[in-house]
Each structure stands twice: as structure tokens, then as C-alpha cells.
Amino acid sequence: MAQFEEVSQKSKLHPKPEGLTLQYGTAGFRTQAKHLDHIMFRMGLLATLRSKKTKSTIGVMVTASHNPEEDNGVKLIDPMGEMVAASWEEHATRLANAEQDSILTELAKIIEKETIDMKEPASVYIGKDTRPSSGSLSQAVVDGVSSLGGKIHDYGLVTTPQLHYMVCCRNTNGCYGSATVEGYYQKLSHAFLQLTQNAPNRTDDQKRLVVDGANGIGALKMREMEAFLRSELQVVLSNDGSRGKLNHLCGADHVKVQQKPPEDLTMAAGERCCSFDGDADRIVYYYTDSDGRFHLLDGDKIATLISTYLKELLTQAGLDLQIAVVQTAYANGSSTRYLEDVMMVTVCCTKTGVKHLHHAAQQYDIGVYFEANGHGTVLFSKAAQKQILELVKDPNTNDEKKRAVNLLENSVNLINQTVGDAISDMLVIEAVLAIRGMSVQDWDAIYTDLPNRQLKVKVSDRRVIDTTDAERRAVTPEGLQEAIDSLVKKYKQARAFVRPSGTEDVVRVYAEADTQKGADSLAHEVSLVVYRLAGGVGDEPKPLQ
Ligand code: 16G
Ligand code: ZN
């Protein structure tokens, strides 16, 4: 085919380093930028095929999120703005690893297996983060798409969730919003301004928020959005990319893992602060108290704040909709207990990785999902959205109901339902705090986190660990789970689990207990068991401190 002739020619400009194999992992392909040129070209090809197959626009985002600046990566976005279907992850891996002379054969296999009509038109939306390598890598994606005759809209610099939003807008013919960056700002800021009208007496101090942009794309986009928010949110932006390096000693991942504020951020005692990650799909909040102690409000605290607010509104509006919170094994035990026992909210636990949480949240009328690391959003089923809209229009509702349902409607519009979105989540949190008249300290006091510790253990092959029950129990190697169970019994309010990482060549260990000393010691003891039973390499794990 003439079409394939062009693929063949162009692919020579994006050669695959011989012997290199990469896997489409939990977050797409991700590694050092210098190894990715051929991957980008081929993901351009694959996105074009996916577009023909689904008869929809597909997204390709060039980013490595919270990874170091030298890394890069690529993720495919399916028609409704969700992560690409699992069966296509396999196609992606095979196409990425095909040697130069077998690209066409691999393409033909995918076309045949998926019964793709090559005469269908194709449309691909492309976005990139601020990494120095992102420009040429996104050009390689463009080359891939155009060599198969696909239509391209290159959005240039956008956050990951903005690109997910664009794809969803396009494929819903504008029902979700208008597929432009300005359309995104308008939709979110309109909803935010409507919501904050319900909190008319806020002072400038209460409107002030310190934002750490991780020296990335989120900072640029916050700057662009500021004017749309008409001073109802007064952002003090640091790590805005003008000096520091992307994700270096800053950003949501750094703050969550190190449990300390980012560098280059001035925070007064008690001041509300938040950090985005490198592509602005994660957010965590924090403050320091008058004793200088650092307090982190992670994804669990965010899920709790948002779900309790939505539940209250549902009751006030008299709407009988089921709300659930989806968490992973990393969710702090205190958050789960608070949600189940005090708030009487359904809690569901899934495997780590956004697609698992997203999928589980789709099973409810309203599914609030957050990973403890700060990635999350809220999904409203079609039926739930319909009920909310009908009640908004109902002339016979009393004032209390009307207020509640208007708040619900604007909350739906403010939330980016395609994927976790730092900017959208931040605006939701700011609106909820304003409407409820809560300070960050009030929010933090909803429940107290159990002390916890995360460790990594190097083993020769992490696949020897197989887990079940949403990664909370190890099935293999033999004896590992029993050993963990008996260690956990030695501590109060304790819990521990181990799982092979999906992004790094390590086994992750998580432990929590009633004291930090207990959590540290339990995590260490569990690490030793992993080291001994699962083929640890290098030195035996040492106790903390
Ligand atoms: C990826 C996932 C994230 C998960 C993390 C776990 C996506 C888009 N991202 O970054 O949700 O928390 O992996 O990493 O799914 P780990 O398997 O190394 O612990
Ligand atoms: Zn990210």
C-alpha cells in the first residue's frame, strides 16, 4: 500500500536502538528521553489506527509526569478521555519493540486483529509538557500520525488533564465543553465563580493560596487561568519554571514522599499551600502549624473532604444517589474508618493505578476516587447527572433544595471527570472550604492519619510476588503472607502489605501502626521478610534511624 510506503520511509528517520525493549506500563511508556524518539513515532502510528478503529479522536500526551526532567514518556487517551483500553496496551508494547524491518508486519497484524478499515479518516490530538525533550518528541508523534494520513491538532504545551478534556469535548461534539484551552478555563472558572457566590464574606486572606507549580506545565497554565478567576482565588505561585528545574525538590510527589515542603516556597505558619506534579494531574495540600510542624493533606484527605461535601448536598437536595469512595491499599486506615464508620459512605479498594480506580468509580452513581499520592477525581453517572439537571429545572423545589442542587450542578461542571486534574481538584477544594467556611486546619482535623512508612526492597525478580485482594495480601512466595500476618499482630492498629512496583524494579512495602516508631519498625521487619523470602539482592534492609 502507498500509505505504508510512507511509514517505511519516515520510520527510518526515527530508528529504534537495537535491542532496546520497553513496556507500555501503568502510565504508558516512560524512560530517559533519549530512548524515546522511535516510541513516539510508533505511538503516532498506533493512535491513528486507534482513531480509525473507534471512529473518534484519540489523544497522545508527551510527558513523564513527576519523573526527573531528563526522562520523558507518552500516554494514549481513548475517546471519552479515559486511559487507552488494556488490549491496546499490548499492541503498543509489541509495536514499540518491533525491530526496524518488521514495523509494517506488526502494523498489519494489528489492523487484521482489530479489523480496522484503513479508509476511515483518523484524528489525533497531541499535547506536551515543558521538558526540553518534549518538542522534538511530540514532532515524532506528528510524523507518525501524518505518515498514515491522520489529521492532527497539536495543542502544544498543555497539562495532561487538559488534553484528556479536549479529547472528551471533541468526541461528545462539545457537550462536555469547547475543545480549546480557553474553553477549559471558561468552563471551570464559571463553575468556580458560581460556587464561591455561596461564600460571599471571604476575606482576601481566605482567598489566598500558595501554589507550587513543580516548575512545570501546571505553573504556566495557572498563570493563564488567573484572570478568569477574577480574584476569587488569589494564587501566589512559586516554582513557576522561571528558575528551578522541573520536579527538582518540588512538586506533589516530592512533598508526599519526603513529607516536607518544597524548596523555594515561602509559607507563613498556618498558610494554605498546595503542590502540583510535573504534568498537573496530581495535587496535595499542606501547611505548617505554629510549632513549625508540617501537616500534609493527601489524596485521602481530599477524597474525604469532597465526598462528605457531596453527600451533604445529596441529602439536602433529597436525591437518592449512591456515593462511594474508591481507594487503594495505600489509603490511610484512619480515612477508611472515618468514611465507613462516621460518614457511612461505601468504600471500595482497588489495585494501584489510575485505570483501576477510574473503572471502579464508574460502577456508582457518584464515584469519588483518589490515590493517596493525590491523583483523583469524581465521576457522575449519566443517570445521576440527569437527575441533578431535572431537579435544577424543577419549579417546585424549596430554597434549601434549590441551593443544594445548584451547588451540585456547578460542582459537576467544575470537576474534570476524564482524569485526575490538579487545577480542577484545587478549585473544587477551594470552593468546598469557602462554602463550608473551613480553614485548612479544620479540614485536617476531620481525622488524624495513622503514622505510616513506605520502603522499597530490591529483589532479583519482583514478579515472584503475586498479590490478591486489591494487593493487600501476597499469594506468593509461600509463607510470605503468614509471616506478615504474624508481624502485624505485634503492633497496635497495625496493617502492612507488599506489592511489586509497576514503575520501578523494586518491591514496595507499606506499614502503619499507632506510633511512628511502630510503623517504622513494622515496615523494617516486613522488608526483611521480603528480602529473605522473595530473593532480596544487595545488603539486608537496615532498621530506620
Ligand atoms: C503510576 C500510576 C499511578 C500509581 C503509580 C504507582 C497512572 C496514570 N499512574 O504512576 O496511579 O500510583 O504508578 O507506582 O496510572 P508503583 O507501581 O511504582 O508503586
Ligand atoms: Zn502526573
Side-chain angles (χ1 to χ4, degrees), residues 65-66 277 279 281-282:
S65 186
H66 56 276
D277 76 337
D279 62 342
D281 64 351
R282 284 193 199 178

Side-chain angles (χ1 to χ4, degrees), residues 226-264:
E226 246 178 322
F228 290 82
L229 298 169
R230 304 216 195 112
S231 306
E232 280 303 310
L233 183 67
Q234 294 166 17
V235 169
V236 183
L237 195 59
S238 57
N239 295 317
D240 64 354
S242 54
R243 286 182 297 139
K245 201 171 168 186
L246 177 71
N247 295 329
H248 183 62
L249 304 176
C250 61
D253 198 61
H254 172 83
V255 172
K256 168 78 183 162
V257 173
Q258 303 297 326
Q259 307 259 332
K260 62 179 189 203
E263 301 254 306
D264 274 343

Side-chain angles (χ1 to χ4, degrees), residues 15-85:
K16 173 181 175 298
E18 220 168 299
L20 179 71
T21 53
L22 294 167
Q23 180 105 22
Y24 195 99
T26 11
F29 291 104
R30 206 179 278 185
T31 186
Q32 291 172 44
K34 60 180 185 212
H35 296 319
L36 282 168
D37 184 62
H38 68 296
I39 299 276
M40 297 293 166
F41 175 76
R42 293 166 187 215
M43 288 310 102
L45 298 176
L46 192 69
T48 312
L49 295 187
R50 182 78 183 145
S51 171
K52 288 175 189 285
K53 164 83 185 180
T54 56
K55 301 186 175 49
S56 307
T57 292
I58 295 297
V60 181
M61 182 70 196
V62 176
T63 179
S65 186
H66 56 276
N67 283 38
E69 191 170 88
E70 297 70 28
D71 286 1
N72 218 322
V74 60
K75 267 191 280 203
L76 262 53
I77 303 169
D78 249 4
M80 285 305 120
E82 69 279 45
M83 310 274 166
V84 76

Side-chain angles (χ1 to χ4, degrees), residues 125-377:
Y125 281 6
I126 300 172
K128 62 167 189 247
D129 72 11
T130 56
R131 289 177 157 75
S133 59
S134 291
S136 66
L137 290 177
S138 77
Q139 189 52 47
V141 178
V142 169
D143 280 1
V145 178
S146 62
S147 69
L148 271 179
K151 202 168 149 243
I152 293 155
H153 185 125
D154 188 353
Y155 282 91
L157 292 166
V158 281
T159 69
T160 294
Q162 282 178 332
L163 191 68
H164 283 255
Y165 162 92
M166 304 302 172
V167 171
C168 183
C169 289
R170 173 73 193 88
N171 291 318
T172 55
N173 291 319
C175 284
Y176 194 66
S178 112
T180 60
V181 177
E182 181 150 326
Y184 171 93
Y185 296 142
Q186 268 160 356
K187 179 179 176 182
L188 268 60
S189 58
H190 178 76
F192 179 73
L193 295 173
Q194 292 287 313
L195 286 171
T196 48
Q197 274 179 15
N198 291 270
N201 301 320
R202 284 190 310 150
T203 60
D204 276 355
D205 267 357
Q206 288 163 328
K207 292 178 187 174
R208 198 179 130 95
L209 174 68
V210 177
V211 178
D212 156 27
N215 289 316
I217 184 67
L220 288 185
K221 297 296 147 176
M222 237 7 267
R223 277 263 147 78
E224 284 177 17
M225 190 172 190
E226 246 178 322
F228 290 82
L229 298 169
R230 304 216 195 112
S231 306
E232 280 303 310
L233 183 67
Q234 294 166 17
V235 169
V236 183
L237 195 59
S238 57
N239 295 317
D240 64 354
S242 54
R243 286 182 297 139
K245 201 171 168 186
L246 177 71
N247 295 329
H248 183 62
L249 304 176
C250 61
D253 198 61
H254 172 83
V255 172
K256 168 78 183 162
V257 173
Q258 303 297 326
Q259 307 259 332
K260 62 179 189 203
E263 301 254 306
D264 274 343
L265 181 126
T266 328
M267 58 197 283
E271 195 164 30
R272 205 163 66 250
C273 308
C274 67
S275 285
F276 297 174
D277 76 337
D279 62 342
D281 64 351
R282 284 193 199 178
I283 186 169
V284 294
Y285 269 69
Y286 44 90
Y287 68 96
T288 45
D289 60 25
S290 46
D291 300 330
R293 217 159 62 88
F294 177 74
H295 295 251
L296 177 71
L297 294 96
D298 62 3
D300 302 337
K301 290 250 163 159
I302 297 173
T304 306
L305 180 76
I306 296 177
S307 59
T308 52
Y309 157 79
L310 291 175
K311 185 164 179 195
E312 207 171 272
L313 292 181
L314 289 177
T315 312
Q316 287 165 7
L319 282 168
D320 183 19
L321 294 170
Q322 196 196 10
I323 180 164
V325 175
V326 181
Q327 303 184 317
T328 71
Y330 289 107
N332 195 278
S334 290
S335 72
T336 315
R337 246 190 307 282
Y338 177 81
L339 287 165
E340 284 181 331
D341 301 349
V342 182
M343 289 311 299
M344 310 287 184
V345 172
T346 307
V347 178
C348 150
C349 185
T350 68
K351 289 189 350 187
T352 299
V354 173
K355 62 183 172 205
H356 302 294
L357 287 106
H358 192 91
H359 184 74
Q362 284 173 326
Q363 313 305 313
Y364 301 92
D365 296 326
I366 301 178
V368 180
Y369 75 81
F370 270 89
E371 290 195 302
N373 63 26
H375 184 112
T377 184

